[in-house]
Amino acid sequence: MTPLALQLAVEESKVTPGLLGFVVVAAIAVATWLLLKSMNKQLKRVDFDEDGKPGATADRAAEPERDKGAPVA
């Protein structure tokens, strides 16, 4: 009777990813393509001001900060 390890041993040169490996890689490729397509669609919707208004940041800096912590007794 041969040991179980020898019965289950597989030659490494004969092991291939097979159909399952191809399907997994193909699914990842399709998912990546769909995500990139969606990202490009969302980025086209973004509306930004290329000039950059310097007054907009100054207005925010002039506003007092609100205390968001616990009240001090």
Side-chain angles (χ1 to χ4, degrees), residues 4 6 12 15 20 23-24 26-27 30 34 38-39 46 52 67 69 71:
L4 182 61
L6 288 177
E12 290 183 20
V15 177
L20 180 63
V23 169
V24 169
V30 169
L34 289 172
S38 175
M39 181 187 67
V46 174
D67 185 21

Side-chain angles (χ1 to χ4, degrees), residues 43-66:
L43 286 175
K44 286 179 184 177
R45 292 183 181 178
V46 174
D47 184 28
F48 65 97
D49 186 16
E50 292 183 18
D51 298 336
K53 297 176 184 174
T57 56
D59 292 340
R60 288 185 184 165
E63 293 178 6
E65 290 188 24
R66 296 180 185 156

